[in-house]
Amino acid sequence: MTSPRPAVQNSPANRRDLMWSRSEKAIAQKAFDAALERELQEVIQEAKQKAGQIKEPADLWELEHYLTERGKEIDRKYDYRYSQLTQVFGRLLHEGRLCAAYANDKLKSIRSFAELFAKYAA
Amino acid sequence: MTSPRPAVQNSPANRRDLMWSRSEKAIAQKAFDAALERELQEVIQEAKQKAGQIKEPADLWELEHYLTERGKEIDRKYDYRYSQLTQVFGRLLHEGRLCAAYANDKLKSIRSFAELFAKYAA
């Protein structure tokens, strides 16, 4: 899946949003790590369930495919560059993976990305 | 792992061995399928066990790596071309994956490959 690149990305308002203060960075790191950890725990539970249900070789290669694809997806999604982080948080918020309290004063930008993701997902 | 290519492969005696009669082919197919099925069942059991022991994300990617590597290894090992089959059975016999009764009158050639694999593995 290619991430959509919304037009707001290069607006002057957005460039200001890309400046992260030290305290914002600390909050962002915590929110990012928590969302990543939750998603990895989901994959662990799903993998255990799939493995428990394996009956024939095809199920085995289906599990391998699932793990490969989820690994790639997580690598792409969790991009901790400050230039990408507002968009990353927008997606996480849209997917219900981010506690909005973390989003602090960047909430407006993050919400606008969440809305864009909602539009793309519709 | 690259399969060793023993020198006996192109000897006249070996070329005669490559001629498989109809009944030999039927026996070979049965032995091949049974060994493949047993090996796949081993991978299924191992995958279930590994999945049950997953505690952290690293274990997840270790399971993915295990499945990918075992899949590739099985694809390479179970090569059902009559030109390869004596060598394939030699390896399976060496690994204890082949009931010697199946090997019938090609047993001598197959055993020589099993001995070569034993030498390479030493």
Side-chain angles (χ1 to χ4, degrees):
Chain A
M1 196 188 70
T2 308
S3 301
R5 295 190 165 274
V8 301
Q9 201 172 37
N10 293 315
S11 70
N14 191 53
R15 278 201 295 277
R16 274 199 305 279
D17 287 341
L18 297 183
M19 302 299 291
W20 293 73
S21 71
R22 185 185 294 259
S23 64
E24 283 171 341
K25 285 180 181 178
I27 292 166
Q29 182 77 64
K30 201 171 158 188
F32 183 95
D33 291 348
L36 176 57
E37 179 60 26
R38 270 193 298 274
E39 187 149 6
L40 287 168
Q41 287 302 324
E42 282 173 25
V43 181
I44 288 176
Q45 294 315 312
E46 181 79 10
K48 282 177 185 275
Q49 193 183 4
K50 280 180 182 290
Q53 290 168 348
I54 292 174
K55 287 196 173 55
E56 51 189 53
D59 304 330
L60 203 54
W61 312 130
E62 198 272 328
L63 172 61
E64 183 213 351
H65 181 72
Y66 166 79
L67 291 173
T68 303
E69 291 307 305
R70 291 293 274 128
K72 282 191 215 160
E73 191 194 342
I74 287 172
D75 277 350
R76 278 194 304 263
K77 190 198 282 189
Y78 289 85
D79 182 353
Y80 198 84
R81 286 176 295 176
Y82 294 113
S83 62
Q84 300 300 312
L85 215 46
T86 309
Q87 187 171 340
V88 170
F89 281 149
R91 178 171 176 186
L92 295 176
L93 192 63
H94 161 62
E95 292 179 355
R97 297 190 177 282
L98 193 70
C99 173
Y102 277 129
N104 63 26
D105 61 351
K106 289 199 166 43
L107 193 58
K108 200 176 154 193
S109 289
I110 289 171
R111 281 221 170 109
S112 75
F113 276 104
E115 281 158 19
L116 272 164
F117 277 105
K119 212 173 88 179
Y120 276 92
Chain B
M1 194 188 73
T2 307
S3 300
R5 295 191 164 275
V8 302
Q9 201 170 37
N10 294 316
S11 70
N14 191 53
R15 279 202 296 278
R16 272 198 307 279
D17 287 340
L18 297 183
M19 301 299 292
W20 293 73
S21 70
R22 185 185 294 262
S23 64
E24 282 172 341
K25 285 180 179 176
I27 293 167
Q29 182 77 64
K30 201 171 157 190
F32 183 94
D33 291 348
L36 175 57
E37 179 60 27
R38 271 193 298 274
E39 186 147 7
L40 286 168
Q41 287 302 324
E42 283 174 22
V43 181
I44 288 176
Q45 293 316 312
E46 181 79 10
K48 282 176 185 276
Q49 194 183 3
K50 281 180 182 290
Q53 290 168 347
I54 291 175
K55 288 197 173 56
E56 52 188 55
D59 303 331
L60 205 54
W61 313 130
E62 198 272 329
L63 172 60
E64 184 212 352
H65 182 72
Y66 167 78
L67 291 172
T68 303
E69 291 306 305
R70 291 295 273 127
K72 281 191 216 160
E73 190 194 341
I74 287 172
D75 277 349
R76 277 194 303 262
K77 191 197 283 190
Y78 289 86
D79 182 353
Y80 198 84
R81 287 177 294 175
Y82 294 113
S83 63
Q84 300 300 310
L85 215 46
T86 310
Q87 188 172 340
V88 170
F89 282 150
R91 179 171 174 184
L92 295 177
L93 193 62
H94 162 61
E95 292 180 355
R97 297 189 178 281
L98 194 70
C99 173
Y102 276 129
N104 65 24
D105 62 351
K106 291 200 165 42
L107 192 57
K108 201 175 154 193
S109 289
I110 289 171
R111 282 223 171 108
S112 77
F113 275 104
E115 281 159 18
L116 272 164
F117 277 105
K119 211 173 90 180
Y120 275 91

